[in-house]
Amino acid sequence: MKREIIQTLDGSTTIHIPEWDESYHSKHGAIQEAQHVFIKNGLSLFKDKELAILEIGFGTGLNAFITYLEGAKMNQIIDYVGVEAYPISSEELVSMNYVAELNALDQENIFDQMHGSAWNEKTILSNRFTLTKRQQFFADIEDKNKFDLIYFDAFGYRVQPELWSTEIFQKMYDALKDDGVLVTYAARGVVKRSMIEVGFVVEKLAGPPGKREMFRAKKIS
């Protein structure tokens, strides 16, 4: 399937799939979306904590890189697992301008290490951040009570509804520790119903630029 590099409205790049008219990040701003959905409404709940994060859709590495930068500011120790079935190519990677757009040129080596590290092996990026990239289909996730926070960043329901099924959210619920949190850019009623069906308590929050709403779900102990 053809993929192309596009620039989003905040200046940051992303990958677009013309056949689906679907992008890896919001066309209204890749960085703005990541900051709002995953950092402001997810990571910031765990300030000064040690936590394990599962990302559903490692993709371009944007969410992982921003988490690395923001986690240092929030005095967090992070064990990060990113699941991706179809890793991006080296050619696509060099077109991602996140390091410059985030004014993080002094951390460019970290972004490079994230993508250069071996799949399915834990990599120590600092004394406060470890990364494991798992090349895996979401349906094959079998973690139990392991994560404090899930970034659910799969392709949208419109093009891949199977990734937003009750079966997948059961796996997410099982993977979280008690009182764990899942955040996603999505705000469809069918998604909320699937989350509630497996036991999540779901709240609707203001969405990132260009999107009215988003969901945050919690596994209540």
Side-chain angles (χ1 to χ4, degrees):
M1 195 174 296
K2 180 184 176 184
R3 305 196 296 199
E4 60 187 16
I5 308 301
I6 64 169
Q7 186 176 66
T8 67
L9 291 181
D10 67 3
S12 55
T13 52
T14 192
I15 298 172
H16 180 67
I17 302 174
E19 184 177 330
W20 287 352
D21 189 25
E22 181 79 356
S23 299
Y24 277 55
H25 309 99
S26 170
K27 294 180 180 180
H28 296 277
I31 287 175
Q32 287 182 356
E33 178 187 46
Q35 290 278 16
H36 180 88
V37 175
F38 303 113
I39 305 304
K40 178 182 177 182
N41 289 300
L43 189 68
S44 67
L45 303 177
F46 299 88
K47 194 173 289 187
D48 300 316
K49 298 283 180 63
E50 183 172 346
L51 72 155
I53 298 174
L54 173 65
E55 181 184 12
I56 301 301
F58 183 78
T60 65
L62 172 59
N63 295 333
F65 188 55
I66 290 181
T67 298
Y68 178 90
L69 299 175
E70 297 298 326
K73 298 176 187 177
M74 289 189 274
N75 192 37
Q76 294 166 316
I77 297 174
I78 297 172
D79 182 20
Y80 196 102
V81 175
V83 176
E84 178 61 58
Y86 301 102
I88 70 170
S89 69
S90 56
E91 291 78 18
E92 290 168 326
L93 176 60
V94 298
S95 297
M96 298 299 108
N97 65 354
Y98 307 136
V99 174
E101 289 295 315
L102 288 163
N103 297 311
L105 292 175
D106 61 331
Q107 300 293 338
E108 185 170 18
N109 65 311
I110 295 296
F111 186 70
D112 291 343
Q113 284 181 60
M114 285 181 166
H115 285 281
S117 62
W119 286 86
N120 306 308
E121 294 181 14
K122 180 171 288 193
T123 299
I124 299 172
L125 295 175
S126 76
N127 61 356
R128 306 186 70 84
F129 195 102
T130 58
L131 170 68
T132 305
K133 298 182 303 183
R134 296 196 328 217
Q135 190 166 1
Q136 181 181 36
F137 291 109
F138 304 154
D140 295 332
I141 293 172
E142 298 291 347
D143 301 284
K144 305 293 183 187
N145 304 307
K146 182 175 178 180
F147 299 100
D148 302 282
L149 177 62
I150 293 176
Y151 295 166
F152 200 89
D153 199 18
F155 283 130
Y157 182 91
R158 177 181 61 85
V159 297
Q160 288 196 305
E162 68 276 10
L163 301 183
W164 302 83
S165 65
T166 301
E167 289 76 17
I168 294 294
F169 282 117
Q170 184 66 63
K171 289 179 176 293
M172 299 300 101
Y173 189 88
D174 293 344
L176 282 172
K177 301 174 186 176
D178 287 345
D179 298 317
V181 172
L182 179 151
V183 282
T184 182
Y185 64 86
R188 282 180 176 257
V190 65
V191 171
K192 182 178 182 180
R193 289 191 290 274
S194 289
M195 289 176 169
I196 291 172
E197 185 176 340
V198 303
F200 279 116
V201 175
V202 183
E203 58 181 323
K204 190 178 290 183
L205 305 172
K211 189 169 178 59
R212 195 159 56 91
E213 298 166 334
M214 60 164 281
F215 287 147
R216 180 165 64 200
K218 189 171 185 179
K219 178 178 180 178
I220 302 297
S221 58

